[in-house]
Amino acid sequence: MKRGFASDNNAGVHPAILAAMARANSGHTRGYGDDDYTREAEAAVKAHFGEACHPFFVFNGTGGNVIGLQTLLRSYEAVICSENSHIHVDECGAPERFTGCKLLTVPTPDGKLTPELVERHMHGFGDVHHVQPKVISITQATEVGTVYTVPEIRALADYAHAHGCYLYMDGARFANAAASLGASLREISVDAGVDVLTFGGTKNGLMFGEALLVFHEELAKSTPYLRKQAMQLASKMRFLSTQFTAILEDDLWLRSAQHANAMAKILGDQARQIPGVTVTQEVQANAVFAVLPAKAIQTLQSEFSFYTWEESRNEVRWVCSFDTTEDDISEFVAAIRRALAS
């Protein structure tokens, strides 16, 4: 199948990850995470995020988000999130079903929440008739490819904590955000005030798996049980956890994310030069958002896979991966030009 730009989920597995899984496929070991491979992975995570970090490896992002939010919430409490957040738009209501909590959404043209935008929902505290705000949930990088800076994260964390709330971060493309900022993983999470984070692996070259990171010991006490209830506890955990050791070793996570980001920057720069194409968001991570004629979109999608993001205005999303090449981009850009000329 021709490489497309629909999602970094569509990419293959990084060879170093496959090699790590092959090394783990030797002999017998205890299941459910009671093994040396998982302990090694937990140590690797702590080396990047600090000893206050409690890591829990799960199968996928939706599962990680559900468990992460359950760790912070009771059923009469609410999550404040962007109206285009993954937990609101793309998880089939799973966070609401399994937490029992309400999602309170906020319009965000650039995908990013601010204390000023969140403020509309920060009321009703102590009113038994009103759902109780408890979590501000942000996505890093955002669903429209923008990236929260450290001061922006800190401002939201301080605002949440001042109101007795938590800051949750959906980090499906967390590596891309860190690479974009030139910051360490710790600097844009626990050091910036994030309480719980899902550190995405699948979109950055893993076969499967995310790491749910809880930065408070007391909160983390319930997480093992929530993970089991949520059917996210892998029996052969070593094959999930060893991938995180591999991606954190020698900064493979960073090199893969930097490459994906660089490819998106090239694609965005070249797309801007094509008459009839309007790039709608600053390209800060590994995604390009653009508007072009509906007919051209249909023509392109017959040859390349990518998603229409907002049909009402013909906005599309093009995502680059760790294995995207400049030749892939040149071929795609040439196809865009042909589609617009036809």
Side-chain angles (χ1 to χ4, degrees):
M1 182 181 177
K2 181 182 292 187
R3 279 198 182 100
F5 297 87
S7 175
D8 31 17
N9 286 329
N10 292 12
V13 181
H14 195 288
I17 301 298
L18 287 174
M21 296 178 78
R23 288 192 297 271
N25 191 31
S26 176
H28 285 210
T29 189
R30 295 175 68 90
Y32 301 103
D34 185 17
D35 64 89
D36 289 340
Y37 294 101
T38 300
R39 282 185 278 273
E40 182 182 26
E42 290 169 346
V45 171
K46 285 176 177 286
H48 281 270
F49 291 91
E51 287 300 314
C53 173
H54 300 269
F56 301 91
F57 302 109
V58 298
F59 289 112
N60 55 47
T62 298
N65 283 335
V66 166
I67 300 164
L69 292 172
Q70 282 181 317
T71 296
L72 300 173
L73 291 160
R74 299 184 74 171
S75 60
Y76 54 82
E77 294 171 330
V79 181
I80 303 169
C81 59
S82 167
E83 67 178 3
N84 62 13
S85 65
H86 202 272
I87 60 173
H88 174 58
V89 176
D90 291 304
E91 295 186 345
C92 198
E96 290 165 306
R97 177 181 179 185
F98 292 104
T99 66
C101 296
K102 187 175 182 62
L103 301 184
L104 303 173
T105 62
V106 178
T108 53
D110 65 351
K112 295 197 284 187
L113 292 177
T114 65
E116 293 74 22
L117 290 174
V118 168
E119 188 175 13
R120 73 184 66 187
H121 290 306
M122 297 296 277
H123 59 89
F125 293 100
D127 182 350
V128 72
H129 302 288
H130 195 278
V131 66
Q132 300 294 290
K134 193 63 180 180
V135 172
I136 298 172
S137 176
I138 62 176
T139 308
Q140 180 77 315
T142 73
E143 285 78 7
V144 294
T146 53
V147 172
Y148 285 93
T149 64
V150 172
E152 288 171 336
I153 300 167
R154 171 51 69 184
L156 280 164
D158 289 347
Y159 182 80
H161 299 155
H163 287 80
C165 298
Y166 297 109
L167 182 63
Y168 176 80
M169 180 178 282
D170 177 345
R173 295 185 175 92
F174 184 71
N176 300 94
S180 175
L181 293 169
S184 71
L185 299 174
R186 178 170 177 163
E187 285 173 330
I188 62 169
S189 57
V190 58
D191 285 356
V194 174
D195 296 296
V196 175
L197 162 73
T198 52
F199 174 29
T202 308
K203 291 177 169 62
N204 198 28
L206 269 62
M207 180 178 289
F208 59 92
E210 319 289 297
L212 174 63
L213 310 182
V214 182
F215 298 120
H216 301 281
E217 184 174 2
E218 193 62 31
L219 290 172
K221 289 179 180 178
S222 65
T223 313
Y225 306 99
L226 294 170
R227 178 173 61 171
K228 179 63 177 180
Q229 271 195 339
M231 300 166 282
Q232 290 285 321
L233 178 62
S235 53
K236 295 186 178 182
M237 179 67 79
R238 57 177 155 161
F239 298 106
L240 199 168
S241 57
T242 196
Q243 297 179 79
F244 280 92
T245 304
I247 203 169
L248 290 168
E249 282 181 342
D250 300 321
D251 287 337
L252 176 59
W253 69 269
L254 179 58
R255 297 195 305 277
S256 295
Q258 285 174 330
H259 177 80
N261 290 2
M263 293 299 101
K265 181 70 164 55
I266 292 171
L267 176 55
D269 288 345
Q270 294 191 13
R272 285 190 183 91
Q273 305 307 312
I274 303 174
V277 176
T278 301
V279 175
T280 59
Q281 298 285 348
E282 185 178 353
V283 180
Q284 296 182 326
N286 65 321
V288 178
F289 289 77
V291 169
L292 61 162
K295 183 180 177 182
I297 294 172
Q298 292 171 359
T299 301
L300 275 171
Q301 287 179 328
S302 69
E303 190 176 355
F304 292 89
S305 62
F306 62 88
Y307 291 117
T308 301
W309 182 258
E310 180 56 66
E311 289 191 16
S312 65
R313 62 194 194 107
N314 297 327
E315 186 177 26
V316 299
R317 185 190 75 170
W318 301 323
V319 181
C320 295
S321 309
F322 78 90
D323 61 354
T324 301
T325 67
E326 290 193 46
D327 286 343
D328 294 332
I329 292 170
S330 296
E331 185 181 5
F332 186 53
V333 168
I336 297 173
R337 292 185 181 277
R338 289 195 304 271
L340 286 165
S342 62

